[in-house]
Amino acid sequence: MFNPNTTELMHAWGVDLESHIRTLALTHRSWAFEHGTDHNERLEFLGDSVLGFIAADWIFEQFPEDSEGDMSKVKSASVSEKALAIVARELNLGSYIRLGVGEERTGGREKDSILSDTVEALIAATYLQHGMETVRAVVERHIVPIIRKAADLGPALDWRTAFEEKARELGIPHVAELRYEVQGEGPDHARVYTAKLYLAQDFWGEGTGSSQKIAKLAACADAYQRLTSDVGGR
């Protein structure tokens, strides 16, 4: 349900914003098209860049021993749509977004894409009104815990890449021929997918999930665990 009173949101965000830019940051294009107003997509564009810089700068300073690849994985995980949607839900941001009738009916307040875009718009609004040091403090307040969790995940940030790199390191053949076999079972609304990972004809891992992507990642995780525990079944 829409809540026009943003006092609690601003308190949770950590800094207040002037009414006009706050309203713009919280206005989805679906509302704008129905009411003939501006929307927050330009702010999203700017906020994405500001967020990326702040996250990259923090990771660079805090993890001096990490390679470019390691830092890139942590950054990608911590500023992803999924990560920003987590931040949005902690702020109860969905209830403050101005949505059009269609988006409202289809659950727009809970869509990761809308939530993450609105976080980026708020970041841009904060930068424009208060400058870099203030927006840095706000971003670090909300994003640093996610960065730390991402850094702790290690290979889980990208199971496929982790498996491929370890396989090459150990001299496992056919890494360039990695492929999946995926099957789905059950009704469309509750379908479960099973993915099997092969290097050429050699079986290495299996995983299940609610989508093909999740099942493939699970298969990569299984393959990585088999590889590192030296029980790779082929």
Coordinates of all heavy atoms in Angstrom, one line a residue, residues 160-210:
R160 N 30.5 -21.0 -11.4 CA 31.1 -21.5 -12.6 C 32.5 -21.0 -12.9 O 33.4 -21.9 -13.2 CB 30.2 -21.0 -13.8 CG 30.8 -21.4 -15.2 CD 29.9 -21.2 -16.3 NE 30.6 -21.6 -17.6 CZ 30.0 -21.9 -18.7 NH1 28.7 -22.0 -18.8 NH2 30.7 -22.1 -19.8
T161 N 32.8 -19.8 -12.6 CA 34.1 -19.3 -12.8 C 35.1 -20.0 -11.8 O 36.2 -20.4 -12.2 CB 34.2 -17.8 -12.6 OG1 33.4 -17.1 -13.6 CG2 35.6 -17.3 -12.8
A162 N 34.6 -20.1 -10.6 CA 35.5 -20.8 -9.6 C 35.8 -22.2 -10.0 O 37.0 -22.7 -9.9 CB 34.7 -20.8 -8.2
F163 N 34.8 -22.9 -10.5 CA 35.0 -24.3 -11.0 C 36.0 -24.3 -12.2 O 37.0 -25.1 -12.2 CB 33.7 -25.0 -11.3 CG 33.9 -26.3 -12.0 CD1 34.3 -27.4 -11.3 CD2 33.6 -26.5 -13.3 CE1 34.5 -28.7 -11.9 CE2 33.8 -27.7 -14.0 CZ 34.2 -28.8 -13.2
E164 N 35.8 -23.5 -13.1 CA 36.6 -23.5 -14.3 C 38.1 -23.1 -14.0 O 39.0 -23.8 -14.5 CB 36.1 -22.5 -15.3 CG 34.8 -22.9 -16.0 CD 34.3 -21.9 -17.0 OE1 34.6 -20.7 -16.8 OE2 33.5 -22.2 -17.9
E165 N 38.3 -22.1 -13.1 CA 39.6 -21.7 -12.7 C 40.3 -22.9 -12.0 O 41.5 -23.1 -12.2 CB 39.6 -20.5 -11.9 CG 39.2 -19.2 -12.7 CD 39.1 -18.0 -11.8 OE1 39.1 -18.1 -10.6 OE2 38.9 -16.9 -12.4
K166 N 39.6 -23.5 -11.0 CA 40.2 -24.6 -10.3 C 40.5 -25.8 -11.1 O 41.6 -26.4 -11.0 CB 39.3 -25.0 -9.1 CG 39.9 -26.1 -8.2 CD 41.2 -25.8 -7.6 CE 41.0 -24.7 -6.5 NZ 42.3 -24.5 -5.8
A167 N 39.6 -26.1 -12.1 CA 39.8 -27.2 -13.0 C 41.1 -27.0 -13.8 O 41.9 -27.9 -14.1 CB 38.6 -27.5 -13.8
R168 N 41.2 -25.8 -14.4 CA 42.4 -25.5 -15.2 C 43.7 -25.6 -14.3 O 44.7 -26.1 -14.8 CB 42.3 -24.1 -15.8 CG 41.2 -24.0 -16.9 CD 41.4 -22.7 -17.6 NE 40.4 -22.6 -18.7 CZ 39.2 -22.0 -18.6 NH1 38.9 -21.4 -17.4 NH2 38.4 -21.9 -19.6
E169 N 43.6 -25.1 -13.1 CA 44.7 -25.1 -12.2 C 45.2 -26.5 -11.9 O 46.4 -26.8 -11.8 CB 44.4 -24.4 -10.8 CG 45.4 -24.4 -9.8 CD 44.9 -23.9 -8.5 OE1 44.1 -22.9 -8.5 OE2 45.3 -24.4 -7.4
L170 N 44.2 -27.5 -11.8 CA 44.6 -28.9 -11.6 C 44.8 -29.7 -12.8 O 45.1 -30.9 -12.7 CB 43.4 -29.5 -10.7 CG 43.2 -28.9 -9.4 CD1 42.0 -29.5 -8.7 CD2 44.4 -29.0 -8.5
G171 N 44.7 -29.0 -14.0 CA 45.0 -29.7 -15.2 C 43.8 -30.7 -15.7 O 44.1 -31.6 -16.4
I172 N 42.6 -30.4 -15.2 CA 41.5 -31.2 -15.6 C 41.2 -30.9 -17.1 O 41.1 -29.8 -17.5 CB 40.2 -30.9 -14.8 CG1 40.5 -31.1 -13.3 CG2 39.0 -31.7 -15.2 CD1 40.9 -32.5 -12.9
P173 N 41.0 -32.0 -17.9 CA 40.8 -31.8 -19.4 C 39.4 -31.3 -19.7 O 38.5 -31.4 -18.9 CB 41.1 -33.1 -20.0 CG 40.7 -34.1 -18.9 CD 41.1 -33.4 -17.6
H174 N 39.3 -30.7 -20.9 CA 38.0 -30.3 -21.5 C 37.3 -29.2 -20.8 O 36.1 -29.1 -21.0 CB 37.1 -31.6 -21.6 CG 37.7 -32.8 -22.2 ND1 38.2 -32.8 -23.4 CD2 37.8 -34.0 -21.6 CE1 38.7 -34.0 -23.7 NE2 38.4 -34.8 -22.6
V175 N 38.0 -28.3 -20.1 CA 37.3 -27.2 -19.4 C 36.6 -26.3 -20.4 O 35.5 -25.8 -20.1 CB 38.3 -26.4 -18.6 CG1 37.6 -25.2 -17.9 CG2 38.9 -27.3 -17.5
A176 N 37.2 -26.1 -21.6 CA 36.5 -25.3 -22.6 C 35.3 -25.9 -23.2 O 34.5 -25.2 -23.9 CB 37.5 -25.0 -23.7
E177 N 35.0 -27.2 -22.9 CA 33.8 -27.8 -23.4 C 32.8 -28.0 -22.3 O 32.0 -28.9 -22.4 CB 34.2 -29.2 -24.0 CG 35.2 -29.1 -25.1 CD 35.7 -30.5 -25.6 OE1 34.8 -31.3 -26.0 OE2 36.9 -30.7 -25.5
L178 N 32.7 -27.1 -21.3 CA 31.7 -27.2 -20.3 C 30.3 -27.1 -20.9 O 30.1 -26.2 -21.7 CB 32.0 -26.1 -19.2 CG 31.1 -26.1 -18.0 CD1 31.9 -25.5 -16.8 CD2 29.8 -25.4 -18.2
R179 N 29.4 -27.9 -20.4 CA 28.1 -27.9 -20.9 C 27.1 -28.4 -19.9 O 27.6 -29.0 -18.9 CB 27.9 -28.7 -22.2 CG 28.1 -30.2 -22.0 CD 28.0 -31.0 -23.3 NE 28.3 -32.4 -23.1 CZ 27.4 -33.3 -22.7 NH1 26.1 -32.9 -22.5 NH2 27.7 -34.6 -22.5
Y180 N 25.8 -28.1 -20.0 CA 24.8 -28.5 -19.1 C 23.8 -29.3 -19.8 O 23.5 -29.1 -21.0 CB 24.1 -27.3 -18.5 CG 24.9 -26.3 -17.8 CD1 25.3 -25.1 -18.4 CD2 25.3 -26.5 -16.4 CE1 26.1 -24.2 -17.8 CE2 26.1 -25.5 -15.8 CZ 26.5 -24.4 -16.5 OH 27.2 -23.4 -15.8
E181 N 23.2 -30.2 -19.1 CA 21.9 -30.9 -19.5 C 20.9 -30.5 -18.4 O 21.1 -30.8 -17.2 CB 22.1 -32.4 -19.5 CG 23.0 -32.9 -20.7 CD 23.1 -34.4 -20.8 OE1 22.5 -35.1 -19.9 OE2 23.8 -34.9 -21.7
V182 N 19.8 -29.9 -18.9 CA 18.8 -29.4 -17.9 C 17.4 -30.0 -18.2 O 17.0 -30.1 -19.4 CB 18.7 -27.9 -18.0 CG1 17.6 -27.4 -17.0 CG2 20.0 -27.2 -17.8
Q183 N 16.7 -30.5 -17.2 CA 15.4 -31.0 -17.3 C 14.5 -30.3 -16.3 O 15.0 -30.0 -15.2 CB 15.4 -32.5 -17.1 CG 16.0 -33.3 -18.2 CD 15.9 -34.8 -18.0 OE1 15.9 -35.3 -16.9 NE2 15.9 -35.6 -19.1
G184 N 13.2 -30.1 -16.6 CA 12.3 -29.5 -15.7 C 11.1 -30.5 -15.5 O 10.7 -31.2 -16.4
E185 N 10.6 -30.4 -14.2 CA 9.5 -31.3 -13.8 C 8.5 -30.5 -13.0 O 8.9 -29.5 -12.3 CB 10.0 -32.5 -13.0 CG 10.9 -33.5 -13.8 CD 11.2 -34.7 -12.9 OE1 11.1 -34.6 -11.7 OE2 11.7 -35.7 -13.5
G186 N 7.2 -30.9 -13.1 CA 6.2 -30.2 -12.3 C 5.4 -29.2 -13.1 O 5.8 -28.8 -14.2
P187 N 4.4 -28.7 -12.5 CA 3.5 -27.6 -13.2 C 4.3 -26.3 -13.3 O 5.3 -26.1 -12.6 CB 2.4 -27.5 -12.2 CG 2.9 -27.9 -10.9 CD 3.9 -29.0 -11.1
D188 N 3.8 -25.5 -14.2 CA 4.5 -24.3 -14.6 C 4.7 -23.4 -13.3 O 5.8 -22.7 -13.2 CB 3.7 -23.5 -15.6 CG 3.8 -24.1 -17.0 OD1 4.7 -25.0 -17.2 OD2 3.0 -23.8 -17.9
H189 N 3.7 -23.3 -12.4 CA 3.8 -22.4 -11.3 C 4.7 -23.0 -10.2 O 5.1 -22.3 -9.2 CB 2.4 -22.2 -10.7 CG 1.8 -23.4 -10.0 ND1 1.1 -24.3 -10.8 CD2 1.7 -23.8 -8.7 CE1 0.7 -25.3 -10.0 NE2 1.0 -24.9 -8.7
A190 N 5.1 -24.3 -10.3 CA 6.0 -24.8 -9.3 C 7.0 -25.8 -9.9 O 7.3 -26.9 -9.4 CB 5.2 -25.6 -8.2
R191 N 7.6 -25.4 -11.0 CA 8.5 -26.2 -11.8 C 9.8 -26.3 -11.1 O 10.3 -25.3 -10.6 CB 8.6 -25.7 -13.2 CG 9.1 -26.7 -14.2 CD 8.8 -26.2 -15.6 NE 9.2 -27.2 -16.6 CZ 8.5 -28.3 -16.9 NH1 7.4 -28.5 -16.3 NH2 8.9 -29.1 -17.9
V192 N 10.4 -27.5 -11.1 CA 11.7 -27.7 -10.5 C 12.7 -28.2 -11.6 O 12.3 -29.1 -12.3 CB 11.7 -28.7 -9.4 CG1 13.1 -29.0 -8.8 CG2 10.8 -28.2 -8.2
Y193 N 13.8 -27.5 -11.7 CA 14.8 -27.9 -12.8 C 16.0 -28.6 -12.2 O 16.4 -28.3 -11.0 CB 15.3 -26.6 -13.5 CG 14.2 -25.9 -14.3 CD1 13.4 -24.9 -13.7 CD2 14.0 -26.2 -15.6 CE1 12.4 -24.3 -14.4 CE2 13.0 -25.6 -16.3 CZ 12.2 -24.6 -15.7 OH 11.2 -24.0 -16.4
T194 N 16.5 -29.6 -12.9 CA 17.7 -30.3 -12.5 C 18.7 -30.1 -13.6 O 18.4 -30.3 -14.8 CB 17.4 -31.8 -12.3 OG1 16.5 -32.0 -11.3 CG2 18.7 -32.5 -12.0
A195 N 19.9 -29.6 -13.2 CA 21.0 -29.4 -14.2 C 22.1 -30.3 -13.9 O 22.5 -30.5 -12.7 CB 21.4 -28.0 -14.2
K196 N 22.7 -30.9 -14.9 CA 23.9 -31.7 -14.8 C 25.0 -31.1 -15.6 O 24.8 -30.6 -16.7 CB 23.7 -33.2 -15.3 CG 22.7 -33.9 -14.5 CD 22.6 -35.4 -15.0 CE 21.6 -36.2 -14.1 NZ 21.4 -37.6 -14.6
L197 N 26.2 -31.0 -15.0 CA 27.3 -30.3 -15.6 C 28.3 -31.3 -16.1 O 28.7 -32.2 -15.4 CB 28.0 -29.3 -14.6 CG 29.2 -28.5 -15.0 CD1 29.3 -27.2 -14.2 CD2 30.5 -29.2 -14.9
Y198 N 28.8 -31.1 -17.3 CA 29.8 -32.0 -18.0 C 30.9 -31.2 -18.5 O 30.7 -30.0 -19.0 CB 29.1 -32.8 -19.1 CG 28.0 -33.7 -18.7 CD1 26.7 -33.3 -18.6 CD2 28.3 -35.1 -18.5 CE1 25.7 -34.2 -18.2 CE2 27.3 -36.0 -18.2 CZ 26.0 -35.5 -18.0 OH 25.0 -36.4 -17.7
L199 N 32.1 -31.8 -18.5 CA 33.2 -31.3 -19.3 C 33.4 -32.3 -20.4 O 33.8 -33.4 -20.2 CB 34.5 -31.2 -18.5 CG 34.4 -30.2 -17.3 CD1 35.8 -30.2 -16.6 CD2 34.0 -28.8 -17.7
A200 N 33.0 -31.9 -21.6 CA 32.9 -32.9 -22.7 C 31.9 -33.9 -22.3 O 30.7 -33.6 -22.0 CB 34.2 -33.4 -23.1
Q201 N 32.3 -35.2 -22.2 CA 31.4 -36.3 -21.8 C 31.5 -36.6 -20.4 O 30.8 -37.5 -19.9 CB 31.7 -37.5 -22.7 CG 31.5 -37.3 -24.2 CD 30.1 -36.8 -24.5 OE1 29.1 -37.3 -24.0 NE2 30.1 -35.8 -25.3
D202 N 32.4 -35.9 -19.6 CA 32.7 -36.3 -18.2 C 31.7 -35.5 -17.3 O 31.7 -34.3 -17.3 CB 34.1 -35.9 -17.8 CG 35.1 -36.7 -18.7 OD1 34.7 -37.8 -19.1 OD2 36.2 -36.2 -18.9
F203 N 31.0 -36.3 -16.5 CA 30.0 -35.7 -15.5 C 30.8 -35.1 -14.3 O 31.7 -35.8 -13.8 CB 29.0 -36.7 -15.0 CG 28.2 -36.3 -13.8 CD1 27.1 -35.4 -14.0 CD2 28.5 -36.7 -12.5 CE1 26.4 -35.0 -12.9 CE2 27.8 -36.3 -11.5 CZ 26.7 -35.4 -11.7
W204 N 30.4 -33.9 -13.8 CA 31.1 -33.3 -12.7 C 30.2 -32.8 -11.6 O 30.6 -32.7 -10.5 CB 32.0 -32.1 -13.2 CG 33.3 -32.6 -13.6 CD1 33.7 -32.8 -14.9 CD2 34.4 -32.9 -12.8 NE1 35.0 -33.3 -15.0 CE2 35.5 -33.3 -13.7 CE3 34.7 -32.9 -11.5 CZ2 36.7 -33.7 -13.2 CZ3 35.9 -33.3 -11.0 CH2 36.9 -33.7 -11.9
G205 N 29.0 -32.5 -11.9 CA 28.1 -32.0 -10.8 C 26.7 -31.9 -11.2 O 26.3 -31.9 -12.4
E206 N 25.8 -31.8 -10.2 CA 24.4 -31.8 -10.4 C 23.7 -30.8 -9.4 O 24.2 -30.7 -8.2 CB 23.8 -33.2 -10.2 CG 22.3 -33.3 -10.5 CD 21.8 -34.7 -10.4 OE1 22.6 -35.6 -10.6 OE2 20.6 -34.9 -10.2
G207 N 22.7 -30.1 -9.8 CA 22.0 -29.2 -8.9 C 20.6 -29.0 -9.3 O 20.2 -29.2 -10.5
T208 N 19.7 -28.6 -8.4 CA 18.3 -28.3 -8.7 C 18.0 -26.9 -8.3 O 18.7 -26.2 -7.5 CB 17.4 -29.3 -7.9 OG1 17.6 -29.1 -6.5 CG2 17.7 -30.7 -8.3
G209 N 16.9 -26.4 -8.8 CA 16.4 -25.0 -8.5 C 15.1 -24.7 -9.2 O 14.6 -25.4 -10.0
S210 N 14.6 -23.5 -8.8 CA 13.3 -23.1 -9.3 C 13.4 -22.5 -10.7 O 12.4 -22.1 -11.3 CB 12.6 -22.1 -8.4 OG 13.5 -21.0 -8.2

